[in-house]
Amino acid sequence: MGVKKLIVANWKLNPNTQEGAKRLFESVKKSVSKIKNAEVIICPPFVYIPILARLSVRSLGVGGQNVFYKEKGAYTGEISPLMLKDLNVKYAIVGHSERRELGETDDMINKKVKATLDAGFKPIFCVGEKEGEDKNLILTKQIEEGLKGVSKISNLIIAYEPVWAIGNGKNCSVDEALRSVVLIRSIVSKLYNQDAAKKVKILYGGSVNSKNASSYLREESINGLLVGGASLDSDEFIKIVEEIKLI
Ligand code: PGA
């Protein structure tokens, strides 16, 4: 049996009803709970978290797609790490490119990373360059600024999601994903140390589907996947998770 991989589903702004969310979660649960070396986390819209958290099992948990950095107060529309923690949520995506696109800055992302770690759960910190951008420059800036003042990263997960590969079927080649993972580990190593860089979990995300999933999962230095579109089709998503049995 290989090493355990983390597969995170990002449902984004889907589905439209509680019934739809329950149905999708339950059908994934049926197959996924039989797979040994995978931890699967579904990140639904916030409103579905209480319902789905009650249905979760050890191998299938629930995460946030976002989280705010304040514990309480006058912050209309926000959700705090403590509120998520109270629902037994252990993960939250932080700094997804779609949130960066809506105005989230490295500074806000840094506060969110800190707040989630302080609350005792695991941020899935997203980084990635846009088409034509200098990968080295962007990843260095996003990681340095996102982790500013963060002293312990044992609970941190980094998701490498090149923006040009998201939601369009143009997944990043495994070679390039691996080069990016090496680069991320070298940035982390400079900020912390080699041991921390070796241990930090790094996921790949961007047009992952059942056909390309195994090529990433097979790689020892890629610790799992962040799956968007393909996670909305239970059969397709189950196939992705089942690839773990073959590696
Ligand atoms: P995608 O999305 O799998 O649809 O490309 C990935 C993501 O945005 O996390």
Side-chain angles (χ1 to χ4, degrees):
M1 196 162 75
V3 278
K4 202 162 184 167
K5 301 274 181 173
L6 176 65
I7 313 246
V8 180
N10 176 10
W11 284 1
K12 308 191 181 183
L13 193 56
N14 302 285
N16 279 331
T17 63
Q18 295 180 50
E19 271 318 304
K22 266 199 271 186
R23 214 178 311 121
L24 185 53
F25 192 86
E26 289 287 14
S27 46
V28 169
K29 182 164 135 183
K30 247 186 265 156
S31 306
V32 158
S33 35
K34 292 184 211 122
I35 301 170
K36 292 272 179 308
N37 40 347
E39 179 175 6
V40 181
I41 300 294
I42 297 214
C43 300
F46 281 132
V47 289
Y48 303 139
I49 289 183
I51 311 161
L52 301 185
R54 260 181 257 129
L55 304 174
S56 68
V57 287
R58 204 175 46 84
S59 54
L60 179 65
V62 176
Q65 292 178 14
N66 182 26
V67 64
F68 194 54
Y69 47 84
K70 293 281 189 183
E71 283 186 6
K72 59 179 179 179
Y75 302 102
T76 304
E78 299 292 356
I79 304 285
S80 79
L82 295 182
M83 292 170 185
L84 290 180
K85 210 180 167 199
D86 183 50
L87 296 171
N88 216 4
V89 168
K90 298 187 176 64
Y91 294 87
I93 298 172
V94 172
H96 190 280
S97 62
E98 287 154 14
R99 298 218 50 91
R100 290 180 188 264
E101 201 55 40
L102 289 172
E104 208 162 281
T105 62
D106 287 317
D107 180 51
M108 289 159 80
I109 293 164
N110 175 240
K111 289 183 179 140
K112 291 180 177 197
V113 169
K114 281 188 192 150
T116 43
L117 288 171
D118 287 348
F121 64 90
K122 304 181 178 184
I124 301 164
F125 167 44
C126 298
V127 296
E129 78 284 4
K130 292 186 188 156
E131 178 99 72
E133 278 183 343
D134 182 329
K135 190 199 296 280
N136 197 342
L137 219 71
I138 294 294
L139 294 186
T140 302
K141 178 178 182 290
Q142 290 178 341
I143 295 171
E144 278 181 4
E145 294 189 12
L147 299 184
K148 205 177 271 174
V150 174
S151 52
K152 237 181 111 220
I153 58 163
S154 46
N155 270 344
L156 178 82
I157 293 152
I158 299 178
Y160 171 63
E161 292 209 307
V163 182
W164 48 266
I166 294 179
N168 54 16
K170 295 187 201 146
N171 62 302
C172 172
S173 72
V174 178
D175 280 354
E176 186 164 354
L178 283 174
R179 273 198 297 278
S180 309
V181 167
V182 168
L183 173 61
I184 291 169
R185 290 195 198 279
S186 81
I187 300 165
V188 172
S189 178
K190 273 183 215 133
L191 293 176
Y192 297 88
N193 55 58
Q194 261 186 9
D195 190 50
K198 219 173 93 192
K199 285 189 184 145
V200 70
K201 282 202 172 86
I202 304 182
L203 314 181
Y204 167 73
S207 296
V208 170
N209 59 35
S210 63
K211 299 218 164 54
N212 60 36
S214 68
S215 57
Y216 303 104
L217 291 172
R218 200 177 289 141
E219 297 297 338
E220 206 182 320
S221 66
I222 301 178
N223 306 101
L225 300 169
L226 178 51
V227 186
S231 70
L232 295 171
D233 173 340
S234 60
D235 289 344
E236 175 71 1
F237 185 62
I238 290 162
K239 273 194 211 155
I240 292 174
V241 181
E242 283 183 335
E243 288 297 327
I244 287 181
K245 289 198 217 158
L246 309 173
I247 59 166

